[in-house]
Amino acid sequence: MTSFTKTLLVFSALTSWCALGSVSACPAVDEAYGAVVNLVRPGQQHLLLDEESLVALFNTLENRVQCEEVPCGKCNLSNAVHQLLHNHSDHRQAGAVKNRAIDAAGFSALAAGCVLYLSSPDKVCAAAGQGRWGEEVERFLHEIASGNSHEHHHEGEEVDGESCHGHEHQHVGLGGLESVFRELLKHYEPSEIENCMTTSDIMSEVGASSAEQTQAAGAVLGRVLYHALRGQCFQSLPEESFFLDDIMHRLGSENFTIEGSQKKLKLNNKKKKV
């Protein structure tokens, strides 16, 4: 076996492991974590979201959310980050929050919690005040998960000696990310309105090569968090029902058939030629 072949096999194994959602072996998650750390604490020697970094992160997010009439979602989330890992019992996750710091193992939960905050700031603040932030994040992840059960691991299943728990086995696809973007636009206020990020941009950054491919939630939501911290705008497509409603509006009736719509289109074309 040549060294090149060995390299390909190692890369293939790491890619498969990442697809299965193991944070410690998923380069896309680690890269998103590193990008966020370097953004909130540039020049830091060791990659770690310590207490000071988390305060800066949440202060920035707080300035990114607005309600229709008054500022909303003002609460001290840095003191509640431990709630995001309340149901993680393995030793890696137990050490993910120490002295109010989040390491790479806890980043997936943090990213999901932050993106949920940007989408529903008041709900997250209320949940955090009641000790339920982690529960809301679990519900949020379930709603946006890809649903490809054959790519997910069951609770406690071993992958090369590592257990897949909670947030780590959740996946997000293009459809789930579209719903995240639509929710973000309700309260998120960008500071940079040029070069908006699309869902395709995010999926490309995390290595999803096609519209059908999914990626670990920590990688996808971590990238959303990174661009939100930078203040970039997000561009979302309307829901499918929007296009149907628009077509019906343009045709002038909700009770139309394919044959009827074809006749109307032909009639419009004749009018244009005249």
Side-chain angles (χ1 to χ4, degrees):
M1 183 181 296
T2 66
S3 58
F4 178 72
T5 303
K6 290 180 179 178
T7 301
L8 285 179
L9 288 174
V10 171
F11 177 78
S12 177
L14 285 174
T15 303
S16 298
W17 201 352
C18 179
L20 292 173
S22 175
V23 172
S24 61
C26 182
V29 175
D30 293 337
E31 288 173 8
Y33 177 72
V36 169
V37 174
N38 286 326
L39 189 63
V40 296
R41 290 292 299 277
Q44 189 180 39
Q45 185 175 0
H46 302 290
L47 287 179
L48 179 67
L49 284 171
D50 56 18
E51 183 176 3
E52 186 176 347
S53 301
L54 289 172
V55 170
L57 184 150
F58 288 122
N59 283 341
T60 300
L61 294 185
E62 194 173 274
N63 292 327
R64 297 276 186 263
V65 293
Q66 292 293 327
C67 291
E68 292 183 358
E69 297 179 356
V70 296
C72 59
K74 308 301 181 182
C75 55
N76 189 354
L77 292 179
S78 60
N79 288 333
V81 290
H82 63 280
Q83 296 176 19
L84 300 176
L85 299 130
H86 70 285
N87 61 341
H88 296 264
S89 58
D90 66 301
H91 67 281
R92 290 183 304 108
Q93 291 291 0
V97 177
K98 186 177 182 181
N99 297 325
R100 296 181 185 175
I102 295 284
D103 62 17
F107 180 66
S108 293
L110 176 68
C114 289
V115 173
L116 179 59
Y117 168 73
L118 291 172
S119 305
S120 306
D122 286 335
K123 181 171 73 173
V124 166
C125 283
Q130 299 168 8
R132 298 185 297 101
W133 191 10
E135 295 175 20
E136 291 294 338
V137 166
E138 291 289 353
R139 188 177 295 110
F140 167 62
L141 287 171
H142 178 73
E143 290 174 355
I144 66 172
S146 66
N148 295 328
S149 58
H150 63 282
E151 292 185 359
H152 295 170
H153 279 276
H154 297 291
E155 189 79 12
E157 183 175 348
E158 295 292 323
V159 182
D160 291 346
E162 296 286 352
S163 296
C164 291
H165 290 285
H167 305 281
E168 291 184 300
H169 72 275
Q170 297 285 359
H171 279 219
V172 176
L174 197 60
L177 187 56
E178 280 286 358
S179 68
V180 169
F181 271 33
R182 285 193 291 270
E183 290 300 311
L184 274 177
L185 296 179
K186 294 179 180 179
H187 296 294
Y188 173 75
E189 290 287 338
S191 59
E192 174 57 62
I193 59 174
E194 296 182 1
N195 301 319
C196 290
M197 298 298 298
T198 66
T199 52
S200 296
D201 292 332
I202 296 293
M203 296 306 287
S204 177
E205 285 185 354
V206 298
S209 58
S210 67
E212 294 77 23
Q213 189 173 348
T214 65
Q215 182 56 283
V220 177
L221 299 180
R223 282 293 172 181
V224 174
L225 171 60
Y226 168 74
H227 290 292
L229 288 169
R230 293 186 62 188
Q232 289 182 263
C233 52
F234 296 99
Q235 190 174 54
S236 173
L237 290 174
E239 296 187 62
E240 293 179 6
S241 59
F242 170 84
F243 296 105
L244 182 59
D245 291 341
D246 184 62
I247 291 173
M248 290 191 294
H249 174 73
R250 290 174 183 275
L251 291 173
S253 173
E254 294 185 3
N255 300 315
F256 70 92
T257 62
I258 298 298
E259 182 180 356
S261 62
Q262 288 176 337
K263 288 181 180 179
K264 188 156 188 174
L265 288 173
K266 288 180 181 179
L267 180 60
N268 289 335
N269 288 333
K270 288 181 180 179
K271 290 180 178 179
K272 289 180 180 179
K273 289 180 180 179
V274 174

